Amino acid sequence: MDKVAQETITPPSSSPAQPSATSPHHHHHDDLLLPTELQNSILVAYRSIGIGTFGVVMRFVGMPLEKIALFMNSSQVTGKHQFAQSIKLTFQKGMLSPYKVVGPASLVAWFMQYSVMGLAFQFFDHALSKALGVAPVYYGDELMEPPPPPSSSTNHNHDATHQIKSITKTILAPILAGSLESTVANRAEVQRYYGPTKLTAIESHLKWNPAARFCGPAFLSNAMRNVIMCNTSFILTPITYKLYYPQERKSQGSLFWFGMGMNFVGNAVAITQQALWGRALDYAVYADGGAVVGASANTSTATTTQVARNISYSQVIKSSLQKDGIAAFFTVPKWASRILMNAPVQGSLPWFYNNVLPLGEDSVLGVARTLYGDDGKKNNCAIS
């Protein structure tokens, strides 16, 4: 984080090289009155809030795509024409029905997901790196530099120990970051899948403790999906680009398209967990007569209820494979629907970060300098 902020206040170089993705536009702010640490913190907060707001808007606008993807990766669509079935389910209660399942928890979760999760990985990566005495993952301008030369050390025991520490850090950082993301976002995703009323009825029936309610149903499969995508974005993409992409072709543009390609590959694995998540949520509510959990007396009788139950992943996997085979967890339409859901926000986020957010930085710092100057004058007057 400090590295990002330090790069932000570096004057533009005369070199034609592209600026770092983590500090997209280098500004030289005249008459700088703010302490460096304060200015850095303000810029980081401004960008985090901006990205979070952008994520909320884009995800809300794209809710129909998300609902299509959720149905595609559930047990509610089977056989032929699954994409058409998903579209029909998405809009069966009206064209605006996908937006009606979005509650305050979803808006908060989206904001947190886009504003904090990237910083969460950096925090865990740097904290573990410092604790274990290894280097953090390649980041920012480092990706544009040539790969390091092979080690010439003859101390093989030291090299082996260092490799073990580095691998341990590389495994733990995305697990912690992905789990944190699911802790923040999973319950809201479940709410959008079931709808607020149905989720409340399920939680009431199962009598979960506060921690379980906070995490939400099917937390494990949700966390596994996020760990896979965190590995794709923050581990596999920078390392493979840094070490194996042709040096003469490295640029911000090639990094963007390389990252998008890696995202497609990561989603090919992540949809298996997305499908498991959807099928687990379907398993959590099983029919005994066909009525909906929490249904009123006007829509069901005393003998027709739908009972909530705790999820057994082994049973979900076994029954899904028996019914649909491997197609229960991976098909090209499932993968395509997942890409369709993610592409609008993930594809435009780099453009927003690199070209739109910097337009407001001078204004934000100008307001901060004014407030800081006024505060300084008050303090001087008090001292006098």
Side-chain angles (χ1 to χ4, degrees):
M1 187 182 299
D2 292 338
K3 179 178 179 181
V4 175
Q6 289 169 4
E7 290 177 345
T8 302
I9 60 174
T10 302
S13 170
S14 59
S15 169
Q18 295 292 327
S20 167
T22 56
S23 54
H25 291 263
H26 298 296
H27 292 291
H28 181 74
H29 301 285
D30 296 327
D31 302 324
L32 181 63
L33 300 176
L34 296 173
T36 301
E37 291 186 1
L38 177 59
Q39 175 171 302
N40 294 344
S41 299
I42 291 171
L43 289 176
V44 169
Y46 162 74
R47 290 171 185 161
S48 297
I49 293 171
I51 292 173
T53 304
F54 176 76
V56 169
V57 172
M58 292 296 290
R59 288 295 295 271
F60 182 80
V61 172
M63 264 307 298
L65 299 178
E66 179 171 332
K67 288 295 289 184
I68 291 171
L70 291 176
F71 283 125
M72 277 291 296
N73 290 280
S74 74
S75 60
Q76 297 184 48
V77 295
T78 57
K80 297 181 180 180
H81 310 298
Q82 293 187 9
F83 200 80
Q85 293 179 47
S86 299
I87 294 175
K88 183 178 180 181
L89 287 169
T90 298
F91 298 106
Q92 64 180 347
K93 295 182 181 180
M95 294 300 295
L96 297 179
S97 59
Y99 300 102
K100 294 179 181 179
V101 298
V102 178
S106 294
L107 301 179
V108 172
W110 283 334
F111 183 85
M112 293 292 291
Q113 182 177 1
Y114 285 92
S115 65
V116 176
M117 294 312 144
L119 297 179
F121 173 81
Q122 293 180 59
F123 170 78
F124 288 123
D125 182 56
H126 282 76
L128 291 170
S129 296
K130 185 176 181 180
L132 296 174
V134 297
V137 70
Y138 300 121
Y139 187 66
D141 288 333
E142 294 176 339
L143 301 183
M144 301 301 161
E145 299 170 356
S151 175
S152 59
S153 174
T154 57
N155 189 341
H156 298 295
N157 290 332
H158 177 271
D159 286 349
T161 302
H162 188 272
Q163 286 283 5
I164 292 173
K165 290 181 178 180
S166 182
I167 291 172
T168 300
K169 184 269 298 183
T170 302
I171 293 173
L172 286 178
I175 290 176
L176 293 172
S179 299
L180 176 60
E181 180 177 356
S182 290
T183 301
V184 171
N186 181 59
R187 189 177 187 279
E189 291 186 37
V190 175
Q191 184 185 75
R192 295 194 297 274
Y193 185 82
Y194 283 141
T197 302
K198 189 171 183 179
L199 175 59
T200 301
I202 291 171
E203 290 177 330
S204 176
H205 182 88
L206 294 177
K207 295 181 174 59
W208 284 343
N209 60 52
R213 286 184 179 232
F214 185 80
C215 291
F219 175 83
L220 180 60
S221 54
N222 186 280
M224 285 298 297
R225 181 202 68 195
N226 288 333
V227 169
I228 291 168
M229 295 310 299
C230 187
N231 268 294
T232 301
S233 299
F234 298 114
I235 298 292
L236 294 178
T237 297
I239 290 178
T240 53
Y241 186 85
K242 164 79 172 180
L243 298 181
Y244 303 111
Y245 200 83
Q247 185 64 31
E248 65 277 9
R249 297 183 180 179
K250 287 184 178 180
S251 67
Q252 293 302 314
S254 66
L255 176 59
F256 169 75
W257 290 111
F258 184 83
M260 288 294 289
M262 291 295 293
N263 182 266
F264 290 175
V265 174
N267 269 308
V269 181
I271 61 165
T272 62
Q273 299 306 304
Q274 180 70 23
L276 179 59
W277 180 82
R279 287 175 176 268
L281 293 180
D282 291 339
Y283 175 90
V285 181
Y286 65 98
D288 177 17
V292 176
V293 168
S296 65
N298 295 330
T299 59
S300 64
T301 66
T303 59
T304 57
T305 58
Q306 194 174 43
V307 184
R309 58 181 172 181
N310 289 313
I311 295 169
S312 169
Y313 283 104
S314 61
Q315 288 297 318
V316 173
I317 295 172
K318 182 179 179 181
S319 61
S320 297
L321 291 175
Q322 287 176 343
K323 182 178 181 181
D324 297 314
I326 195 65
F329 301 104
F330 182 88
T331 63
V332 172
K334 290 181 189 294
W335 175 74
S337 68
R338 177 75 184 168
I339 294 296
L340 185 66
M341 183 186 83
N342 284 340
V345 61
Q346 290 184 344
S348 58
L349 185 58
W351 164 81
F352 180 80
Y353 182 76
N354 285 279
N355 294 282
V356 178
L357 281 180
L359 298 177
E361 288 183 357
D362 286 330
S363 298
V364 170
L365 289 176
V367 172
R369 283 195 293 267
T370 300
L371 295 175
Y372 184 79
D374 290 343
D375 187 60
K377 292 178 182 178
K378 291 179 181 178
N379 290 337
N380 288 336
C381 292
I383 294 174
S384 300

